[in-house]
Amino acid sequence: MIAILKKELWSYFGNWSAWVIIAAFSLITTLFLFFFENDSNIFDIGLASLQSYFVLVPWLLMFIIPALSMKTFAEEQQTGTLNWLFSQPMKVSDLVFGKFFSVWIVGILCLIPSLIYFYTVFVLGIPEGNIDMGMTFGSYFGLIMLIAAFAGVGILASSLSQNQIMAYLLGVFMCFIMYFGIEQLASYKLLGGADFILQNLGFYQHFLGFTRGLIDFRDVAYFIFVIGLSLALSNHFITKKK
């Protein structure tokens, strides 16, 4: 697994793709938070809070994480190297976990530049340091879990697809449904009491708890379950291609 992880990280950083993604991600968030006139602009809101950042980022990750994960297995199938990997002395689970952790790590690195936003808001607050630390760090923890969930779903989409374009489109669609689609469907209140159950099947409600500064074991367990299920299904579909 460690060998696969190193190989994948080198493929991301060795050809500048990870650097470009991190830079683009940081540029977009900077423009929305400090320059563009919109509901996320920190100066327009006038509050010493990164809440708008934590609302914006999941929507960007919904497109970025599938872009990172689309090549994990779909590219291997396109180039024919998947069969070569099968011939190596490793388990399929090592292959799946190695690729998952590489996508997760790159996703987390996208968040590192936002520490500049945190410092900026911390200094500009009146009085200085007037920022809710519990909410901020809880939200960062929630984003890390959300990135892992998106990465798991993206890996699953790649294992189901024969080419990278289909893997990307399927990954974006699945992430969108899990984060926003289920939440919106439950909001129509068509299922009566079952709407609450449906609502809790999606990512949004569980991520929302973290943005309030609450790290609930049930929310953590939910994301761990989703990640585990996604990787188990990926392992199953890849094993069938042996």
Side-chain angles (χ1 to χ4, degrees), residues 66-76 78-79 158 161-171:
L68 291 169
S69 62
M70 67 180 183
K71 76 181 193 68
T72 49
F73 289 109
E75 184 184 50
E76 304 282 10
Q78 277 185 298
T79 58
S158 187
S161 306
Q162 297 295 327
N163 60 75
Q164 295 186 63
I165 295 176
M166 286 303 299
Y168 177 72
L169 293 176
L170 182 59

Side-chain angles (χ1 to χ4, degrees), residues 24-230:
F25 180 86
S26 302
L27 177 61
I28 293 171
T29 53
T30 300
L31 291 174
F32 272 93
L33 292 178
F34 296 100
F35 294 97
F36 292 163
E37 292 185 9
N38 61 89
D39 294 337
S40 299
N41 191 298
I42 291 176
F43 293 124
D44 290 343
I45 295 171
L47 295 176
S49 172
L50 285 177
Q51 187 65 33
S52 56
Y53 174 78
F54 299 118
V55 171
L56 173 65
V57 166
W59 289 96
L60 298 179
L61 293 174
M62 199 181 298
F63 295 94
I64 288 176
I65 300 302
L68 291 169
S69 62
M70 67 180 183
K71 76 181 193 68
T72 49
F73 289 109
E75 184 184 50
E76 304 282 10
Q77 294 181 74
Q78 277 185 298
T79 58
T81 54
L82 188 60
N83 291 328
W84 178 81
L85 287 172
F86 287 152
S87 67
Q88 301 305 304
M90 71 174 75
K91 300 177 182 178
V92 174
S93 58
D94 293 336
L95 189 60
V96 172
F97 276 105
K99 289 178 177 291
F100 164 75
F101 281 116
S102 67
V103 175
W104 192 16
I105 288 171
V106 177
I108 291 174
L109 290 177
C110 288
L111 303 179
I112 300 299
S114 70
L115 295 178
I116 299 174
Y117 311 151
F118 172 75
Y119 176 77
T120 301
V121 174
F122 184 90
V123 171
L124 293 179
I126 302 174
E128 183 176 317
N130 182 29
I131 184 172
D132 190 333
M133 293 294 189
M135 185 216 72
T136 302
F137 290 114
S139 298
Y140 271 115
F141 182 80
L143 281 180
I144 291 173
M145 298 302 295
L146 188 63
I147 290 170
F150 281 160
V153 171
I155 296 286
L156 176 58
S158 187
S159 70
L160 290 169
S161 306
Q162 297 295 327
N163 60 75
Q164 295 186 63
I165 295 176
M166 286 303 299
Y168 177 72
L169 293 176
L170 182 59
V172 171
F173 174 75
M174 292 169 67
C175 289
F176 175 81
I177 292 298
M178 290 301 296
Y179 182 77
F180 186 72
I182 292 177
E183 174 69 20
Q184 285 300 298
L185 185 61
S187 70
Y188 288 116
K189 303 188 182 303
L190 300 175
L191 303 177
D195 284 320
F196 176 76
I197 299 174
L198 179 64
Q199 194 175 46
N200 280 276
L201 292 177
F203 293 165
Y204 180 79
Q205 280 299 315
H206 296 279
F207 174 68
L208 193 63
F210 294 119
T211 63
R212 294 167 178 161
L214 301 173
I215 300 180
D216 194 319
F217 171 76
R218 291 169 295 183
D219 295 327
V220 176
Y222 166 81
F223 279 111
I224 292 175
F225 172 77
V226 170
I227 295 163
L229 179 61
S230 299

